[in-house]
Amino acid sequence: MKYSSPVGVFLERCQFFALALVTAALITLMPIGSLHADDSLYRALGEKQGLTKIVHRLLKLSVADPRIKHTFADLNIARIETRIVQQFCELSGGPCKYKGKDMHKSHKGHKINTMEFNALVELLQDAMDAEGVSNRAQNKLLALLAPMKRDIVTR
Amino acid sequence: MTQRGREFSISRLEVAKGTIVRILNDDEFLHHAYIKSPNFKFDSGEIEQGQHTDVELTTAGTFAVRCAIHLRMNLEIVVK
């Protein structure tokens, strides 16, 4: 509501300061942890160092796996590793920002099928097992990745 | 020139200094184009399917244009 009289303007200012006061009080009373996203999965995956090891192992297994190695032909594996680490880090609540294109744009043209997608998931589980990630954390990450299947699998 | 079938449409190009070269991603895949030379640098960022990037060649020399996504893509540009 807009006021035109001096009393009205005073009331408007009072409302503004009251709102600012309530906001400040809410922020002060809020537990510090709730100001940040939940990073428990990020920590369970070993943070940036752990994720880098998982993704490095995943890609090493992938380029050697006869079921999917052809999908990595010609590709810059180091760049893919950087992107996947960024993505897993952000997805699991870590402090990183994924800087690549979305899954549909980045996989378009690669004609990935369900069998290949499932093989990659299997290798990711193998990589997480090898790096000592708990089943609970593995399942949480896989649940976050599962919706991407519809953008990655195109045939 | 275009990027298609994970290749540049030509492998060598000679142009005059100041020429603007347009690189069109006419492929199914996401592409990229960069030049990393001591006296000339260019980075297109990722080029989506159907999109293009323009590079103004302001320095004379011979430059390799590469795609950071597909390592075998290589184009040589000679700027005179």
Side-chain angles (χ1 to χ4, degrees), chain A residues 28-107:
Chain A
T28 308
L29 294 172
M30 203 179 285
I32 288 170
S34 64
L35 286 172
H36 305 284
D38 178 10
D39 66 350
S40 57
L41 178 57
Y42 174 66
R43 285 185 279 111
L45 292 166
E47 305 189 7
K48 187 82 178 280
Q49 195 181 13
L51 281 170
T52 302
K53 284 182 185 173
I54 292 166
V55 176
H56 185 77
R57 189 180 287 271
L58 165 66
L59 290 170
K60 200 173 168 186
L61 292 170
S62 299
V63 297
D65 191 304
R67 295 171 298 172
I68 57 171
K69 64 180 181 185
H70 58 280
T71 65
F72 291 90
D74 289 352
L75 295 177
N76 183 344
I77 302 299
R79 183 183 173 93
I80 294 175
E81 182 173 315
T82 303
R83 289 283 191 256
I84 298 178
V85 170
Q86 281 172 358
Q87 187 185 44
F88 285 9
C89 174
E90 184 178 358
L91 210 58
S92 62
C96 322
K97 186 79 188 156
Y98 174 62
K99 292 174 183 163
K101 296 286 180 191
D102 64 49
M103 290 296 95
H104 176 68
K105 284 173 185 163
S106 55
H107 290 85

Side-chain angles (χ1 to χ4, degrees), chain B:
Chain B
M1 95 182 52
T2 61
Q3 296 170 306
R4 191 174 174 81
R6 300 189 190 192
E7 287 179 352
F8 287 102
S9 54
I10 49 175
S11 58
R12 192 170 188 274
L13 178 69
E14 279 192 26
V15 296
K17 190 174 158 184
T19 301
I20 296 173
V21 172
R22 173 163 290 187
I23 302 169
L24 169 71
N25 178 357
D26 190 27
D27 212 342
E28 299 174 281
F29 311 102
L30 195 64
H31 279 303
H32 179 262
Y34 74 93
I35 296 170
K36 197 173 178 182
S37 155
N39 50 351
F40 189 76
K41 287 183 174 49
F42 172 76
D43 190 326
S44 67
E46 289 170 355
I47 312 168
E48 289 180 29
Q49 298 85 342
Q51 301 295 305
H52 68 263
T53 188
D54 291 332
V55 51
E56 184 174 5
L57 298 153
T58 53
T59 307
T62 301
F63 306 108
V65 184
R66 313 291 299 264
C67 169
I69 300 170
H70 303 99
L71 294 177
R72 278 197 267 184
M73 290 177 67
N74 193 10
L75 159 71
E76 185 180 79
I77 297 187
V78 181
V79 184
K80 291 181 173 174

